Every structure is written in structure tokens, then in C-alpha cells.
Amino acid sequence: MSTTQLNVVLADDDEDDRMLFVEAIDEISIKTELSLFNHGQELMDYLTLPNALMPNLIFLDLNMPIKNGLQCLKEIRENPKLKDLCVAIYSTSSSEKDIEETFLNGANIYVNKPHSFSKLRDVVEKVLQLNWQYHTSNLNKDTFLFRI
């Protein structure tokens, strides 16, 4: 991995989940600039600003008020300026319906929120280390659901 900094975004309405994510990012060795959004509408408002710094990766919670993760994903994929962004669905849901729907709507990877901090740190680090160009060019249902 290069020494350049990754620009990562997390959109999640759960304050505890956001704080744990920040702690996980702080503990890993990958240089990361993290931006936090409380819900999907906040994220979309930011991404559509004319001078917004585009993230290398978006972690997107599915179940959020105002605009949920699936609505954001669809808007991102329909917007010519945003359609090539890497999107990791980051959710407590392990429902086949949610996994299938996000896969069909163009998410790059689906990550279940881990139940322990050490697993969260490991998941975040592994997802950030993925070679996204390679990963997305070989995207299939088997590589879509990320398990640790």
C-alpha cells in the first residue's frame, strides 16, 4: 500500500458505532482521513457539493433515518460524478434480502458489523487493504460478503 492517505467516509446514525469506528481507524497502521456523517442525506449533501473531496471508500450503514443506505447507494450509482466510488455496506443486518439487494444495486462489498472491537479493527484494516481495482473487477457473490 502506498504512503498516501486514504480518504474514508462512514455514514452511520448510531453514535456508538461511529465512535468505535473512529477508534478502530486510529489503531490501524493505514493512514486514513475519516469523515463521519449521521445519516444518508448528510452524506449525499456532502458528496454532491461542487468541491467535495471524493472518498476512496464509503462505509454505508443500511438502516438510517431520513435517507437509508440503499437509497444512498442507488443515488451514488445513478450519479455520473459518483458512480465509480467504492461502497462498502456496513450493517448489522445479515439478511439475504439486504445482501442480495445491495449486491444488485452496485455495492462493492458487504460487511457485517462485528460484535467485538478487536474484530472491528481487523475488519476495517482488511477492507482498507483490499486492492479495490482488482476486487471490483472480479466482483461476484462469493467475494461480495466479507466475513472475518
Side-chain angles (χ1 to χ4, degrees), residues 71-97:
Q71 291 168 314
C72 292
L73 176 63
K74 288 177 178 178
E75 278 187 42
I76 288 167
R77 292 302 180 235
E78 290 167 3
N79 183 320
K81 178 184 162 197
L82 308 176
K83 69 180 176 55
D84 295 325
L85 292 175
C86 288
V87 178
I89 300 300
Y90 179 66
S91 179
T92 54
S93 170
S94 51
S95 134
E96 277 302 316
K97 179 185 175 291

Side-chain angles (χ1 to χ4, degrees), residues 2-138:
S2 70
T3 56
T4 58
Q5 185 166 276
L6 279 178
N7 183 19
V8 175
V9 163
L10 170 65
D12 194 325
D13 63 310
D14 186 303
E15 186 175 352
D16 291 337
D17 284 353
R18 286 194 311 271
M19 292 307 102
L20 286 171
F21 200 91
V22 168
E23 288 177 34
I25 289 284
D26 288 345
E27 284 195 15
I28 62 176
S29 59
I30 300 166
K31 285 190 204 167
T32 306
E33 175 69 33
L34 179 63
S35 303
L36 300 172
F37 297 93
N38 298 319
H39 54 75
Q41 188 60 56
E42 242 184 37
L43 169 69
M44 295 313 299
D45 289 347
Y46 170 77
L47 290 176
T48 53
L49 288 172
N51 57 347
L53 176 63
M54 288 297 119
N56 301 101
L57 178 61
I58 299 169
F59 283 87
L60 191 54
D61 184 25
L62 277 183
N63 302 310
M64 294 184 285
I66 305 170
K67 185 170 286 187
N68 70 35
L70 186 60
Q71 291 168 314
C72 292
L73 176 63
K74 288 177 178 178
E75 278 187 42
I76 288 167
R77 292 302 180 235
E78 290 167 3
N79 183 320
K81 178 184 162 197
L82 308 176
K83 69 180 176 55
D84 295 325
L85 292 175
C86 288
V87 178
I89 300 300
Y90 179 66
S91 179
T92 54
S93 170
S94 51
S95 134
E96 277 302 316
K97 179 185 175 291
D98 288 340
I99 295 167
E100 182 78 17
E101 204 167 7
T102 55
F103 177 77
L104 293 174
N105 280 284
N108 298 95
I109 196 167
Y110 194 104
V111 179
N112 280 118
K113 289 182 182 179
H115 296 293
S116 77
F117 179 74
S118 61
K119 281 192 172 155
L120 170 63
R121 185 186 57 232
D122 293 347
V123 157
V124 169
E125 188 164 31
K126 282 189 170 61
V127 170
L128 294 181
Q129 287 172 339
L130 282 176
N131 178 335
W132 285 96
Q133 204 169 1
Y134 169 78
H135 185 82
T136 55
S137 68
N138 292 306

